[in-house]
Amino acid sequence: FLMMFTLISKKIVKFLSYFLPEQYVRNITIFLVTLPRDMRTIFTTLQILFDTYYYKIRNRTALTEFEKIVEKYPDKDCILYNDAVWTLKDIDTNSNKIAQVFFNYGYRKGDVIALLMTNRPEYVCIWLGLGKLGVVTALINTNLRSSSLIHCINTAKSKAVVYSEDFAQAILEARPSLGSNIRFFQLGGQTIEGITKLDNSLKAAPDQAPTVPYKIDYKDHLMYIYTSGTTGFPKAAIMPHSRFLFMSASLRHLLGLTKQDIVYNPLPLYHTAGGLLGISAGITLGATVVIRAKFSASSYIPECIKYNCTVGQYIGEICRYLLAVPPKPTDVEHKLRVIVGNGLRPAIWAKFVERFNVPNVMEVYGSTEGNLQFANLDNTIGAVGSIPRFLPGSHYIGSIIQVDMKTMQPIRNENGFCVQCGVDEPGMFIGIIPWKNSVKEVFGYLDKSESSKKFIYNVFK
């Protein structure tokens, strides 16, 4: 169909070139060439919006979607970790135990508990179990130590910290600077005085979730995810259930995910890409997700082969690291139909696709604290997404404006309004905030003063 459409489009353009000015012909050519891509963009966007509308009017949450999928496929593999297999029922049972333990310790809706733990299935069970109580989980970057670690725990107003045994020393060093009322729970390792051994509490906990005397709603906070902290201390971005479900629906429709897919997710679970997008495929759709303690370039393709993965995730320089691994005949023996992420440089894109024979690369862009999401839907090398310009009100999707590259402040015209960038002109990507309760509502940072720094007013009118 696409080949036929392209052939007909060329004939139409050639015919019109006899009657119309060159600029008109150019605009029509761009419209026709990008029309298949733009139509797919519109169709996919509508699917996501319909799902989101359903979640909103039915007051759905990440928890209700998980419960629905557990009821349908209790014995379906949810998380694969080394040689361990965790079914949806296993995740549900363990998250129920977490909910029971922390309910009995007195934690309730709106409380915040920090989580510092390496990738493992228990990581998901902990924030999911806390979510069943309406408790917000602050996902702490495992690379943080001393002042940065203390800042992240304190700025979230955490009432407790859950950590794995490999972070015992980091917590003990930070403990004197943390709130005196904070309780500490350690998973694994030796018993430490003054710290609750979570393993013991979980063994005694029942398999059923506790009955809570309140309702957990669509817009309630589920977790806090921190920025990288490149311009100071990391900032906590708010992730409500509504945002979680929106991102889950986006990934499902963009990739055409089904419960038969097996997703290779070697990314940190404290990060949006790994801990939210990757894991959501398992707990809201019923796909299987492969996780590992830490990314390994030499293990990526071999493990995709081992687990029969159909979808692979990447971020940043991961693809460059994969190319740096000496080539093997087995590089193409995987079943990956698509890899998804952001940060694949155009300079190595074609080399990566050729060497590993990956049919589709979906480069995406998303802002954890903002409301901008884009995806490369047509496998164009170097592209991160597109805006269908033939649509009225395309500013609603997003715009790129000119900025002073030193101050990063918008450049304004003689009327005081921002100026859109031209072709191949670098600038700042901005998204409109149309109204409260819309799909593009911005929840920003926990620190509202930091959120306000992200707002620009009087942009185009």
Side-chain angles (χ1 to χ4, degrees), residues 10 33 101 113 163 228 270 280 288 336-337 341 375 389 456:
K10 287 181 178 179
V33 168
V101 168
I113 294 180
Y163 65 93
S228 58
Y270 60 76
S280 72
T288 300
L336 291 172
R337 63 177 179 83
R389 284 300 180 187
I456 302 173

Side-chain angles (χ1 to χ4, degrees), residues 16-18 93 125 133 168 203 220 274 349 353-354:
L16 293 176
S17 64
Y18 292 110
T93 300
C125 296
L133 302 179
K203 287 178 183 177
D220 285 341
W349 191 309
V353 170
E354 181 181 0

Side-chain angles (χ1 to χ4, degrees), residues 168-373:
Q169 187 59 39
I171 290 296
L172 290 175
E173 291 173 0
R175 192 176 178 184
S177 300
L178 299 173
S180 58
N181 295 325
I182 292 180
R183 187 161 193 155
F184 298 89
F185 296 84
Q186 179 174 308
L187 184 67
Q190 300 299 314
T191 303
I192 300 174
E193 185 179 353
I195 291 177
T196 302
K197 192 77 177 345
L198 187 56
D199 313 61
N200 299 335
S201 301
L202 290 173
K203 287 178 183 177
D207 292 348
Q208 294 75 34
T211 301
V212 296
Y214 44 78
K215 191 171 183 180
I216 297 164
D217 297 313
Y218 172 71
K219 294 189 70 172
D220 285 341
H221 294 181
L222 174 62
M223 59 180 70
Y224 299 146
I225 297 179
Y226 290 82
T227 62
S228 58
T230 52
T231 56
F233 282 128
K235 296 182 282 290
I238 299 170
M239 185 63 60
H241 287 272
S242 59
R243 184 92 170 137
F244 182 95
L245 292 175
F246 172 77
M247 289 190 173
S248 172
S250 298
L251 189 72
R252 179 167 70 253
H253 291 300
L254 287 170
L255 299 179
L257 282 179
T258 71
K259 68 178 187 295
Q260 280 76 38
D261 277 307
I262 301 174
V263 180
Y264 187 68
N265 176 14
L267 310 180
L269 295 184
Y270 60 76
H271 192 276
T272 304
L276 191 159
L277 292 175
I279 295 300
S280 72
I283 66 171
T284 66
L285 179 63
T288 300
V289 183
V290 179
I291 63 172
R292 67 182 342 266
K294 192 176 182 181
F295 165 74
S296 167
S298 60
S299 299
Y300 193 106
I301 295 298
E303 288 188 345
C304 283
I305 296 171
K306 173 184 175 180
Y307 295 109
N308 294 313
C309 295
T310 56
V311 178
Q313 287 188 264
Y314 69 90
I315 195 169
E317 298 289 351
I318 280 181
C319 294
R320 182 169 65 84
Y321 298 151
L322 296 184
L323 279 173
V325 175
K328 297 177 182 178
T330 55
D331 283 345
V332 296
E333 292 180 3
H334 56 79
K335 296 180 180 178
L336 291 172
R337 63 177 179 83
V338 61
I339 61 168
V340 59
N342 67 315
L344 178 53
R345 299 178 184 274
I348 65 168
W349 191 309
K351 294 178 184 177
F352 181 88
V353 170
E354 181 181 0
R355 173 175 163 180
F356 296 106
N357 192 30
V358 177
N360 191 16
V361 176
M362 185 167 288
E363 178 83 1
V364 298
Y365 171 83
S367 168
T368 301
E369 71 279 6
N371 64 353
L372 292 167
Q373 292 83 32

